Amino acid sequence: MPLEPPPSARPAHRLLRGVARILAAAGLAVNAYVHARLADQYDAVGDTITQGTLFRTEAALAALATLLVLAWHRRPADTFAWLVAAGGLAALLIYQYVDVGALGPLPNMYEPVWSSDKKLTAAAQTLTIVTTTLLLLTRGRRRR
């Protein structure tokens, strides 16, 4: 059940949620930018579905989540943003530490090097996960 602040704390609660929303959007925007910028470099990795295509998909999902988390202050938008960030971070960490190999049409994306882009993306995704978790846990009840 979401935590609801007492009436005296509502302005501070609203400010905290606004800051969390802006930070979540910033993390998603960084995620989208890095994936879009790097996609061309990975077009040769894979046959049916290339790693470049997956990067473009991640960039598009993160861009959509950025817009939703800023414009539509509802649980589905916050949940979608959380899922995009958590899914991206999970994939990043799996392919960082485990040589999974190709999975069906998906290419082998194992890359055990922590590049500056990968560190930035991991930090942005972590920021988004933390802030959207806060948004999901602190949603107050709507008054009628």
Side-chain angles (χ1 to χ4, degrees):
M1 176 176 228
L3 305 174
E4 187 171 353
S8 61
R10 285 197 181 123
H13 180 256
R14 210 175 351 252
L15 177 64
L16 173 68
R17 288 181 54 79
V19 169
R21 196 164 292 288
I22 290 168
L23 290 173
L28 288 161
V30 167
N31 184 21
Y33 170 75
V34 172
H35 279 87
R37 186 172 54 80
L38 294 177
D40 289 347
Q41 296 176 27
Y42 291 96
D43 279 337
V45 179
D47 296 323
T48 307
I49 298 174
T50 68
Q51 190 170 347
T53 300
L54 294 172
F55 271 41
R56 285 183 192 86
T57 302
E58 174 72 14
L61 290 171
L64 175 60
T66 301
L67 295 175
L68 288 175
V69 82
L70 288 174
W72 192 41
H73 300 183
R74 300 286 184 268
R75 181 176 303 278
D78 298 339
T79 302
F80 179 71
W82 188 92
L83 288 169
V84 169
L89 183 61
L92 184 150
L93 292 173
I94 288 168
Y95 287 107
Q96 169 70 32
Y97 295 111
V98 181
D99 188 356
V100 176
L103 294 172
L106 298 178
N108 182 2
M109 296 185 289
Y110 178 62
E111 190 175 39
V113 177
W114 276 104
S115 67
S116 57
D117 285 324
K118 194 181 283 189
K119 289 176 188 175
L120 177 62
T121 301
Q125 290 167 329
T126 301
L127 173 66
T128 301
I129 292 166
V130 169
T131 53
T132 53
T133 298
L134 181 108
L135 289 170
L136 290 165
L137 291 177
T138 61
R139 177 167 296 285
R141 292 186 192 145
R142 301 189 115 219
R143 288 181 279 177
R144 295 181 190 214

